[in-house]
Amino acid sequence: MRIRLILAALILTCALSAGFTSRTIAADSLETNGAELPSGPELMLVQTDCQICHSLDLVTSQRLSVAVWTAEVAKMVRWGSPLTADQQPAVVAYLAKYLAPSVPRKLNHPAVPAPPITYNKAPAP
Amino acid sequence: MNQFTRTTFLAAGALSALAASARAAGGPLLDAVNQRPYDWGTPLDELNENLYTANRTFFIRSHMGPPLQIDEGAYRLRVDGLVKTPLALSLTDLKKMPRHEVPVVLQCAGNGRAFYGDAYPTASHPAGAQWKYGGVGNARWAGVRVRDVLAAAGVDPSAKFATNEGLDDPLLATTPKFVRGIELGKIMDDDAIFAYEMNGESLPYYHGFPVRLIVPGWAGDHFVKWFSRMTLTDTLTTAFWTGTGYRYPNVLGEPGVGMPPDQMHPVTAINVKSILTSPVSGRSLSAGKPIVVSGFAWSGDGAIASKVEISFDDGKSWTEARLGVSPGKYSWRQFTLPWTPQRGSATISARATDTNGAVQPIASPWNPSGYLWNGIQRVELEVA
C-alpha cells in the first residue's frame, strides 16, 4: 500500500507539472460511459492501480471480452501497474463482467476547454 | 448510490460546470476522449470552421504525455546509426536549411475506433482510446525535408529503415517509450518534413514543439512529436510501438479475436474517408429553409478524394456534392451540397471515393486494435 501511495503522489506531481490541471485530476475517476461499476475491492484496485498512468475513462469506455481484458491487464502489469499476480484474476473477472461487449455503452466525451497555445512548456494551471 | 456512481455524478457536474464556464468565456472546447494523458478530439462544428484546423483546437493524442519542459537553446535533432556523419542540429541550424511547406491531413490511426463497437456489437470491441470523429485535422506544416537532413548526414547504402523518437518519456521506467520505425523510402518522399511550423506559427507545445515529423498520407503514429532522434538501421525496429503496437492484420481474422503481432504488419497509409461537419447530429432544422451540407474528404498515400456523394435517406439514394479545390495531394478538400429539408426525421450520410477508385464502406473490417475506421457517417436530424 505504501508503494502505491508513493507512486500515486509521484504521478500526481508529474501530472500537475505537465499541465494537467487539478480540475482534470479531480475529474479523472468519474466516467462510467453507461456502465455501473459496483464498489468493492476490485473497484479500489482499478482506481488506485490503473489511474497511475491514465484516467479511468480509458477503462470504462471499453467493452472487451475476457480474453482481451486478460491481455490488457497483463500488458499493464508488464508496464508497471502494481497489481499483484494474486489480484489480477479478480480484477480481470470484474472488468470482463461489468465492461463486457454486452453491457450497453453511452460514450461520454466531456467538453473541456482547449488548452491555450504555449511552446516550451504546458500552460499555467 | 455507491461510491463510484456518486463520484461520477459529482465529477460529471464539475465537468459540465467547467465546460459551461468555458462556453460562457467564449473559449474553444475539445472533446475529452480520455482525460489523462490528453486524448482530446476536435468537435465536428469546430472542424467545420476552416479548411485548415486551428492550432488551438487541433486534436491532441498522447501516448505518454508531453515532456515537462523543452529547452529550445539546448534542443538538438540527432541523426545517427547507418550514416557517414552523425548530426546534432539546433533549431537555428534547421531554419537555415531550405524551407518546405505542405498541407497534410493528420489522422490518428485509431480515429473512429468507437464505431467498431457499434458495427460489431457482439464481438469484443477493439482495445484503445474510443475516438469517434475528432482524431483528425488538416494543417499547413513547414520545416525541412527529411531527405535534405539525411543528405547532410550521408546515408550508408545498407540503411533501409529509420527509428524515430521524441523527448517524451513514460511515467514509469517499465513502460515502453514511444518509438516508431519506418521504411527509409517513405521519409525520402518530397513532402516528408521535420516541421517546426504549423499553420504559419511555431509548433505548439501539445503538437510537438520544436519539431514534429510529418509523414504525408500515413497515419498519425508516424508523426513523432518533440522529435529528438532518428537512427538509421538495416532492419525495422521490433520495439513495442512498432513490433507489437500499431499493427494491422495481414489476413483479416474473426471479429473480436486477437492476433499475434507476427501475423500483422505496421499501419502505414490512411484510407479514403469523409466527415460531415455541418449540420451535426441532433441539430434542429427548419422545414423549407435552405442550408448547405458540408464537410471534408481525403485519402492516403498516392490518392486524393475525387468524389463525394450525399444521401438524405439513410443510403437509399445518393447525390454528388461539389468538391472544393484540393490545395495539395495530402490535404483534405471541402465538399458542399445545398439542401432544403422537409419536415420529419432525416439521416444524412456522405460517401467519398478516391482517385484509386476506393469507396468508403458502410463499416470497416474489424481488426484487433480498431485502426483505419472509414465507415460512412450517419447524421440524424429532426426537421420541425
Side-chain angles (χ1 to χ4, degrees):
Chain A
M1 179 54 80
R2 185 155 175 231
I3 289 173
R4 287 207 174 96
L5 285 173
I6 292 168
L7 273 173
L10 177 69
I11 298 319
L12 186 64
T13 307
C14 291
L16 288 172
S17 311
F20 302 124
T21 68
S22 54
R23 287 181 301 190
T24 306
I25 292 288
D28 265 357
S29 1
L30 322 170
E31 185 51 65
T32 55
N33 286 295
E36 282 284 331
L37 291 186
S39 55
E42 295 88 356
L43 178 61
M44 289 190 66
L45 287 170
V46 168
Q47 287 182 314
T48 55
D49 292 356
C50 300
Q51 291 197 95
I52 290 169
C53 291
H54 58 79
S55 48
L56 266 196
D57 46 9
L58 182 55
V59 179
T60 63
S61 61
Q62 303 200 50
R63 300 287 183 271
L64 310 178
S65 65
V66 178
V68 179
W69 275 123
T70 303
E72 288 298 309
V73 169
K75 180 174 79 177
M76 291 299 111
V77 169
R78 284 197 304 277
W79 287 16
S81 168
L83 275 179
T84 65
D86 290 348
Q87 293 164 336
Q88 287 173 50
V91 168
V92 167
Y94 177 85
L95 296 173
K97 178 174 180 182
Y98 296 106
L99 298 171
S102 57
V103 175
R105 181 172 69 168
K106 187 174 180 359
L107 267 184
N108 179 20
H109 293 165
V112 290
I117 297 285
T118 56
Y119 297 101
N120 70 331
K121 59 183 176 183
Chain B
M1 193 182 281
N2 66 33
Q3 180 195 344
F4 192 84
T5 49
R6 186 167 60 247
T7 45
T8 300
F9 176 77
L10 292 172
L15 274 174
S16 301
L18 193 58
S21 127
R23 271 193 204 95
L29 301 172
L30 297 176
D31 294 328
V33 178
N34 291 321
Q35 291 174 43
R36 179 176 58 85
Y38 289 180
D39 283 327
W40 291 11
T42 311
L44 287 169
D45 48 8
E46 194 70 47
L47 288 171
N48 188 57
E49 294 294 310
N50 294 296
L51 182 67
Y52 298 114
T53 314
N55 288 2
R56 185 165 177 196
T57 50
F58 208 95
F59 83 94
I60 302 170
R61 160 74 175 129
S62 302
H63 291 93
M64 308 297 162
L68 293 184
Q69 188 156 348
I70 299 141
D71 182 341
E72 184 178 339
Y75 171 81
R76 294 292 181 274
L77 190 162
R78 296 179 192 281
V79 178
D80 57 18
L82 296 171
V83 294
K84 292 184 180 65
T85 312
L87 302 177
L89 303 172
S90 68
L91 194 53
T92 307
D93 294 333
L94 288 169
K95 288 184 177 176
K96 285 179 186 161
M97 298 178 72
R99 178 181 177 279
H100 182 65
E101 181 172 292
V102 57
V104 173
V105 167
L106 167 52
Q107 179 175 221
C108 178
N111 191 34
R113 180 181 287 123
F115 302 125
Y116 284 102
D118 301 333
Y120 302 88
T122 60
S124 180
H125 296 192
Q130 299 295 304
W131 293 93
K132 297 182 196 173
Y133 299 107
V136 66
N138 190 42
R140 291 179 294 114
W141 310 92
V144 183
R145 285 189 175 94
V146 174
R147 71 177 187 212
D148 287 351
V149 171
L150 292 181
V155 176
D156 187 278
S158 62
K160 297 286 183 287
F161 300 93
T163 304
N164 299 318
E165 64 180 78
L167 297 169
D168 51 327
D169 285 319
L171 285 169
L172 306 178
T174 38
T175 306
K177 182 176 169 73
F178 184 69
V179 169
R180 190 78 175 125
I182 191 168
E183 292 84 353
L184 196 53
K186 177 58 187 173
I187 48 174
M188 297 300 253
D189 186 295
D190 199 40
D191 290 316
I193 59 174
F194 290 116
Y196 48 72
E197 285 177 21
M198 178 178 181
N199 292 323
E201 299 170 0
S202 290
L203 269 179
Y205 174 71
Y206 286 111
H207 299 294
F209 178 86
V211 172
R212 177 174 207 168
L213 182 64
I214 303 298
V215 183
W218 283 24
D221 50 279
H222 293 282
F223 291 51
V224 175
K225 296 194 273 192
W226 310 290
F227 197 98
S228 61
R229 185 178 179 194
M230 175 177 283
T231 303
L232 301 196
T233 58
D234 55 2
T235 55
L236 184 64
T237 176
T238 57
F240 178 84
W241 297 100
T242 303
T244 303
Y246 288 114
R247 295 176 81 86
Y248 192 90
N250 299 335
V251 178
L252 290 164
E254 186 183 339
V257 180
M259 190 177 284
D262 65 0
Q263 293 177 22
M264 302 195 282
H265 58 272
V267 169
T268 56
I270 53 177
N271 46 15
V272 64
K273 191 165 177 179
S274 64
I275 47 171
L276 278 159
T277 53
S278 184
V280 295
S281 273
R283 180 81 38 97
S284 293
L285 299 177
S286 301
K289 187 176 173 188
I291 63 163
V292 175
V293 173
S294 65
F296 298 100
W298 67 95
S299 190
D301 206 8
I304 64 170
S306 53
K307 183 167 77 171
V308 174
E309 300 157 289
I310 309 286
S311 170
F312 297 99
D313 54 10
D314 206 9
K316 295 183 190 72
S317 61
W318 297 88
T319 305
E320 195 164 337
R322 179 183 167 278
L323 264 182
V325 172
S326 176
K329 61 184 177 180
Y330 299 112
S331 172
W332 67 22
R333 52 200 303 201
Q334 191 178 40
F335 61 84
T336 53
L337 185 68
W339 179 52
T340 303
Q342 304 303 313
R343 190 178 304 277
S345 300
T347 301
I348 312 183
S349 303
R351 180 174 70 183
T353 301
D354 73 14
T355 45
N356 286 342
V359 184
Q360 276 186 267
I362 291 170
S364 307
W366 193 95
N367 61 95
S369 295
Y371 295 133
L372 302 176
W373 173 269
N374 67 340
I376 292 171
Q377 178 185 358
R378 298 169 78 249
V379 175
E380 294 177 347
L381 302 160
E382 286 301 321
V383 184

